[in-house]
Amino acid sequence: MFGPPRDHPGAFFKRHAPVALVWAAAWLLLGLVDQRIDIGTQAMVLVLAAAVAAVWSSRWVAVVAPALSVQWFLYLYVPPRGDPMIDFEEHGLLLVTALVVSWIISLLMQRQRELAKNEHSLMLRSEQLRRLGDALREVDDPGAQADLLQDALATSLRGSPVALLLRASAAESSGAGADQDRVLGSPTAEEAAALQAVKSSGVASSIGESEPTWFLPMRGRSASYGAVMLRLPEQAGDRQAMLRHAQALCDLMGVALERASALRAAHMAREA
Protein backbone atom coordinates (compact mmCIF):
# COMPACT_ATOMS: atom_id res chain seq x y z
CA MET A 1 0.00 0.00 0.00
CA PHE A 2 2.84 2.34 0.83
CA GLY A 3 5.26 2.20 -2.08
CA PRO A 4 8.48 4.21 -2.27
CA PRO A 5 7.99 7.87 -3.11
CA ARG A 6 8.44 8.76 -6.76
CA ASP A 7 11.35 11.08 -7.44
CA HIS A 8 11.13 13.70 -10.20
CA PRO A 9 14.16 13.45 -12.55
CA GLY A 10 15.04 17.12 -12.03
CA ALA A 11 14.95 16.71 -8.25
CA PHE A 12 17.11 13.58 -8.48
CA PHE A 13 19.85 15.31 -10.48
CA LYS A 14 19.74 18.40 -8.26
CA ARG A 15 20.09 16.31 -5.10
CA HIS A 16 22.98 14.28 -6.52
CA ALA A 17 24.89 17.17 -8.10
CA PRO A 18 27.26 17.37 -5.08
CA VAL A 19 27.91 13.63 -5.43
CA ALA A 20 28.95 14.09 -9.05
CA LEU A 21 31.22 16.99 -8.11
CA VAL A 22 32.93 14.94 -5.37
CA TRP A 23 33.63 12.03 -7.69
CA ALA A 24 34.76 14.38 -10.47
CA ALA A 25 37.20 16.03 -8.05
CA ALA A 26 38.46 12.60 -6.96
CA TRP A 27 39.16 11.51 -10.52
CA LEU A 28 40.83 14.85 -11.27
CA LEU A 29 43.08 14.34 -8.25
CA LEU A 30 43.91 10.81 -9.39
CA GLY A 31 44.93 12.17 -12.76
CA LEU A 32 47.15 14.81 -11.17
CA VAL A 33 48.97 12.39 -8.87
CA ASP A 34 49.21 9.56 -11.39
CA GLN A 35 52.64 7.87 -11.25
CA ARG A 36 53.65 10.14 -8.37
CA ILE A 37 52.21 7.99 -5.58
CA ASP A 38 51.76 4.24 -5.28
CA ILE A 39 48.60 2.29 -6.13
CA GLY A 40 47.62 1.84 -2.49
CA THR A 41 47.62 5.55 -1.80
CA GLN A 42 45.69 6.20 -5.01
CA ALA A 43 43.03 3.69 -3.92
CA MET A 44 42.58 5.65 -0.68
CA VAL A 45 41.45 8.62 -2.80
CA LEU A 46 38.48 6.50 -3.89
CA VAL A 47 37.69 5.58 -0.28
CA LEU A 48 37.83 9.26 0.70
CA ALA A 49 35.57 10.22 -2.21
CA ALA A 50 33.05 7.53 -1.25
CA ALA A 51 32.98 8.80 2.35
CA VAL A 52 32.46 12.45 1.31
CA ALA A 53 29.91 11.63 -1.41
CA ALA A 54 27.89 9.54 1.05
CA VAL A 55 26.83 12.77 2.76
CA TRP A 56 24.49 13.42 -0.19
CA SER A 57 24.15 10.00 -1.86
CA SER A 58 21.00 7.93 -1.88
CA ARG A 59 21.47 4.33 -0.76
CA TRP A 60 21.76 2.79 -4.21
CA VAL A 61 24.12 5.52 -5.47
CA ALA A 62 26.31 4.94 -2.39
CA VAL A 63 26.61 1.28 -3.45
CA VAL A 64 26.91 1.63 -7.24
CA ALA A 65 29.28 4.62 -7.47
CA PRO A 66 32.18 3.05 -5.48
CA ALA A 67 31.82 -0.23 -7.42
CA LEU A 68 32.01 1.55 -10.77
CA SER A 69 34.89 3.72 -9.56
CA VAL A 70 36.94 0.72 -8.45
CA GLN A 71 36.27 -0.95 -11.80
CA TRP A 72 37.45 2.09 -13.73
CA PHE A 73 40.43 2.52 -11.40
CA LEU A 74 41.37 -1.07 -12.10
CA TYR A 75 41.20 -0.48 -15.85
CA LEU A 76 42.95 2.93 -15.94
CA TYR A 77 45.60 2.81 -13.22
CA VAL A 78 46.43 -0.74 -12.18
CA PRO A 79 49.21 -2.39 -14.24
CA PRO A 80 48.89 -3.64 -16.87
CA ARG A 81 46.84 -0.54 -17.69
CA GLY A 82 43.90 -1.01 -20.02
CA ASP A 83 43.63 -4.68 -19.11
CA PRO A 84 40.73 -5.72 -16.83
CA MET A 85 42.75 -8.76 -15.69
CA ILE A 86 45.12 -8.07 -12.78
CA ASP A 87 47.48 -9.96 -10.55
CA PHE A 88 45.12 -10.68 -7.68
CA GLU A 89 47.93 -11.53 -5.28
CA GLU A 90 49.52 -8.11 -5.78
CA HIS A 91 46.59 -5.71 -6.28
CA GLY A 92 43.32 -7.64 -6.05
CA LEU A 93 43.10 -7.75 -2.27
CA LEU A 94 43.86 -4.03 -2.09
CA LEU A 95 41.06 -3.11 -4.48
CA VAL A 96 38.54 -5.47 -2.86
CA THR A 97 39.39 -4.00 0.53
CA ALA A 98 39.03 -0.45 -0.81
CA LEU A 99 35.63 -1.32 -2.28
CA VAL A 100 34.32 -3.02 0.88
CA VAL A 101 35.55 -0.18 3.10
CA SER A 102 33.92 2.34 0.75
CA TRP A 103 30.62 0.46 0.96
CA ILE A 104 30.76 0.22 4.74
CA ILE A 105 31.52 3.93 5.16
CA SER A 106 28.85 4.92 2.63
CA LEU A 107 26.14 2.78 4.22
CA LEU A 108 27.06 3.93 7.73
CA MET A 109 26.84 7.55 6.59
CA GLN A 110 23.49 6.81 4.97
CA ARG A 111 22.21 5.23 8.17
CA GLN A 112 23.44 8.18 10.21
CA ARG A 113 21.62 10.59 7.91
CA GLU A 114 18.40 8.61 8.25
CA LEU A 115 18.69 8.56 12.05
CA ALA A 116 19.33 12.30 12.18
CA LYS A 117 16.39 12.98 9.87
CA ASN A 118 14.07 10.75 11.91
CA GLU A 119 15.17 12.37 15.17
CA HIS A 120 14.50 15.83 13.73
CA SER A 121 11.08 14.73 12.49
CA LEU A 122 10.19 13.26 15.90
CA MET A 123 11.22 16.48 17.61
CA LEU A 124 9.07 18.58 15.28
CA ARG A 125 6.07 16.25 15.69
CA SER A 126 6.41 16.22 19.47
CA GLU A 127 6.52 20.00 19.52
CA GLN A 128 3.47 20.20 17.28
CA LEU A 129 1.52 17.82 19.53
CA ARG A 130 2.51 19.83 22.60
CA ARG A 131 1.45 23.13 21.05
CA LEU A 132 -1.92 21.81 19.89
CA GLY A 133 -2.56 20.14 23.24
CA ASP A 134 -1.75 23.36 25.12
CA ALA A 135 -3.98 25.41 22.82
CA LEU A 136 -6.94 23.04 23.26
CA ARG A 137 -6.57 22.92 27.05
CA GLU A 138 -6.66 26.71 27.28
CA VAL A 139 -10.14 27.07 25.71
CA ASP A 140 -13.62 26.05 26.85
CA ASP A 141 -14.78 25.32 23.30
CA PRO A 142 -12.23 23.17 21.41
CA GLY A 143 -14.61 22.92 18.45
CA ALA A 144 -14.10 26.61 17.80
CA GLN A 145 -10.37 25.89 17.45
CA ALA A 146 -10.78 23.25 14.75
CA ASP A 147 -8.82 25.46 12.38
CA LEU A 148 -5.79 24.90 14.64
CA LEU A 149 -6.00 21.17 13.92
CA GLN A 150 -6.48 21.88 10.23
CA ASP A 151 -3.39 24.12 10.19
CA ALA A 152 -1.34 21.60 12.17
CA LEU A 153 -2.22 18.79 9.76
CA ALA A 154 -1.54 20.97 6.70
CA THR A 155 1.87 21.87 8.13
CA SER A 156 2.67 18.24 8.92
CA LEU A 157 1.59 17.19 5.42
CA ARG A 158 3.59 19.99 3.75
CA GLY A 159 0.58 21.93 2.56
CA SER A 160 -1.52 19.03 1.31
CA PRO A 161 -5.33 19.60 1.38
CA VAL A 162 -7.08 18.88 4.69
CA ALA A 163 -10.84 18.85 5.43
CA LEU A 164 -12.51 18.41 8.82
CA LEU A 165 -15.94 17.27 9.95
CA LEU A 166 -17.10 17.97 13.52
CA ARG A 167 -20.00 16.03 15.05
CA ALA A 168 -23.14 18.11 15.62
CA SER A 169 -22.81 18.06 19.41
CA ALA A 170 -19.22 19.29 19.12
CA ALA A 171 -20.08 21.89 16.49
CA GLU A 172 -23.06 23.33 18.34
CA SER A 173 -21.11 25.79 20.48
CA SER A 174 -18.87 26.66 17.53
CA GLY A 175 -21.63 28.37 15.58
CA ALA A 176 -23.26 25.46 13.78
CA GLY A 177 -26.79 24.30 14.46
CA ALA A 178 -27.50 21.68 17.08
CA ASP A 179 -28.27 19.06 14.42
CA GLN A 180 -25.77 20.23 11.83
CA ASP A 181 -22.24 18.92 11.50
CA ARG A 182 -19.53 21.49 10.91
CA VAL A 183 -17.30 21.11 7.85
CA LEU A 184 -13.99 22.88 7.26
CA GLY A 185 -12.49 22.60 3.81
CA SER A 186 -14.07 21.62 0.50
CA PRO A 187 -14.60 17.85 0.29
CA THR A 188 -16.42 16.36 -2.69
CA ALA A 189 -19.70 14.51 -2.22
CA GLU A 190 -17.86 11.17 -2.10
CA GLU A 191 -15.34 12.53 0.38
CA ALA A 192 -18.08 14.05 2.55
CA ALA A 193 -19.82 10.67 2.68
CA ALA A 194 -16.55 9.01 3.68
CA LEU A 195 -16.06 11.60 6.42
CA GLN A 196 -19.52 10.84 7.78
CA ALA A 197 -18.83 7.10 7.72
CA VAL A 198 -15.52 7.45 9.56
CA LYS A 199 -17.08 9.85 12.08
CA SER A 200 -19.75 7.25 12.84
CA SER A 201 -17.49 4.18 12.92
CA GLY A 202 -14.39 5.70 14.51
CA VAL A 203 -12.25 3.60 12.15
CA ALA A 204 -9.82 5.08 9.61
CA SER A 205 -10.33 4.34 5.92
CA SER A 206 -9.04 5.40 2.51
CA ILE A 207 -10.24 6.00 -1.04
CA GLY A 208 -8.06 5.23 -4.04
CA GLU A 209 -5.08 2.95 -4.51
CA SER A 210 -2.00 4.64 -6.00
CA GLU A 211 -2.42 7.96 -4.16
CA PRO A 212 -5.15 7.27 -1.58
CA THR A 213 -7.14 9.92 0.27
CA TRP A 214 -7.17 9.07 3.96
CA PHE A 215 -9.98 9.60 6.48
CA LEU A 216 -9.08 9.58 10.16
CA PRO A 217 -11.47 9.75 13.13
CA MET A 218 -11.24 12.28 15.98
CA ARG A 219 -11.34 9.69 18.72
CA GLY A 220 -12.26 10.40 22.29
CA ARG A 221 -12.12 7.78 25.00
CA SER A 222 -15.64 6.53 24.33
CA ALA A 223 -16.73 7.89 20.95
CA SER A 224 -15.65 9.61 17.76
CA TYR A 225 -16.32 13.35 17.60
CA GLY A 226 -15.50 13.99 13.98
CA ALA A 227 -13.27 12.99 11.10
CA VAL A 228 -10.46 14.39 9.01
CA MET A 229 -9.73 13.98 5.32
CA LEU A 230 -6.12 14.28 4.17
CA ARG A 231 -3.87 13.44 1.26
CA LEU A 232 -0.27 12.51 1.86
CA PRO A 233 2.27 14.55 -0.12
CA GLU A 234 3.69 12.88 -3.20
CA GLN A 235 7.22 12.90 -1.83
CA ALA A 236 6.22 11.56 1.60
CA GLY A 237 8.93 9.31 3.03
CA ASP A 238 7.63 7.23 5.94
CA ARG A 239 3.90 7.36 5.23
CA GLN A 240 3.01 5.14 8.15
CA ALA A 241 4.75 7.53 10.57
CA MET A 242 3.01 10.49 8.94
CA LEU A 243 -0.39 8.82 9.33
CA ARG A 244 0.32 7.90 12.96
CA HIS A 245 1.20 11.51 13.71
CA ALA A 246 -1.92 12.79 11.95
CA GLN A 247 -4.03 10.36 13.97
CA ALA A 248 -2.38 11.55 17.19
CA LEU A 249 -3.29 15.15 16.32
CA CYS A 250 -6.88 14.10 15.57
CA ASP A 251 -7.10 12.20 18.87
CA LEU A 252 -5.98 15.31 20.77
CA MET A 253 -8.94 17.15 19.28
CA GLY A 254 -11.27 14.19 19.94
CA VAL A 255 -10.33 14.01 23.63
CA ALA A 256 -10.68 17.79 23.97
CA LEU A 257 -14.13 17.69 22.35
CA GLU A 258 -15.18 14.82 24.60
CA ARG A 259 -14.04 16.73 27.68
CA ALA A 260 -15.92 19.86 26.58
CA SER A 261 -19.04 17.79 25.88
CA ALA A 262 -18.87 16.23 29.37
CA LEU A 263 -18.46 19.67 30.97
CA ARG A 264 -21.47 21.02 29.07
CA ALA A 265 -23.56 18.00 30.09
CA ALA A 266 -22.57 18.46 33.72
CA HIS A 267 -23.40 22.17 33.56
CA MET A 268 -26.82 21.45 32.03
CA ALA A 269 -27.49 18.83 34.73
CA ARG A 270 -26.72 21.32 37.47
CA GLU A 271 -29.03 23.92 35.92
CA ALA A 272 -31.84 21.36 35.63
Side-chain angles (χ1 to χ4, degrees):
M1 182 177 294
F2 301 113
R6 293 191 296 270
D7 203 355
H8 189 275
F12 173 85
F13 288 115
K14 182 177 180 180
R15 188 173 71 247
H16 287 86
V19 179
L21 290 176
V22 168
W23 281 109
W27 283 102
L28 177 61
L29 178 60
L30 284 173
L32 292 175
V33 301
D34 187 24
Q35 298 183 347
R36 299 183 184 179
I37 58 177
D38 59 50
I39 292 296
T41 306
Q42 285 180 294
M44 291 303 99
V45 174
L46 297 181
V47 176
L48 176 61
V52 176
V55 175
W56 301 279
S57 298
S58 60
R59 187 181 297 274
W60 73 269
V61 171
V63 172
V64 173
L68 292 177
S69 295
V70 168
Q71 182 64 31
W72 275 104
F73 180 80
L74 166 67
Y75 185 77
L76 295 175
Y77 293 103
V78 177
R81 299 192 178 199
D83 187 350
M85 302 301 296
I86 63 170
D87 183 356
F88 186 83
E89 292 184 358
E90 184 175 359
H91 301 297
L93 183 59
L94 170 66
L95 295 178
V96 170
T97 301
L99 177 59
V100 172
V101 171
S102 297
W103 277 343
I104 292 174
I105 293 175
S106 297
L107 293 177
L108 285 176
M109 288 289 291
Q110 179 74 18
R111 178 59 178 166
Q112 188 64 31
R113 285 170 51 201
E114 291 176 355
L115 290 174
K117 183 179 179 181
N118 291 340
E119 183 178 357
H120 182 65
S121 297
L122 285 174
M123 181 184 67
L124 292 178
R125 288 169 180 169
S126 297
E127 178 64 15
Q128 192 177 47
L129 286 167
R130 185 191 65 79
R131 288 187 177 184
L132 180 62
D134 290 346
L136 294 177
R137 279 191 295 270
E138 292 173 357
V139 297
D140 295 329
D141 181 13
Q145 307 298 321
D147 57 331
L148 294 179
L149 174 61
Q150 189 176 30
D151 292 342
L153 288 168
T155 300
S156 177
L157 300 175
R158 305 169 197 167
S160 296
V162 175
L164 275 67
L165 173 69
L166 292 180
R167 201 169 74 176
S169 59
E172 179 180 357
S173 60
S174 304
D179 299 322
Q180 182 180 356
D181 291 336
R182 182 186 178 199
V183 178
L184 282 76
S186 303
T188 65
E190 181 183 16
E191 292 167 348
L195 283 169
Q196 288 285 352
V198 169
K199 180 201 69 173
S200 301
S201 67
V203 179
S205 66
S206 64
I207 296 177
E209 295 182 0
S210 59
E211 295 294 336
T213 299
W214 284 91
F215 301 87
L216 307 179
M218 297 183 197
R219 300 177 301 196
R221 291 183 175 85
S222 59
S224 174
Y225 287 80
V228 168
M229 180 200 80
L230 52 86
R231 299 185 183 93
L232 299 183
E234 186 174 341
Q235 296 300 325
D238 189 346
R239 298 190 170 196
Q240 289 281 16
M242 192 170 285
L243 283 170
R244 285 195 297 268
H245 177 63
Q247 184 63 70
L249 290 170
C250 293
D251 290 345
L252 274 179
M253 176 61 79
V255 170
L257 291 171
E258 185 175 56
R259 182 179 64 251
S261 178
L263 290 175
R264 285 196 302 270
H267 179 70
M268 293 174 62
R270 285 195 301 269
E271 288 185 344

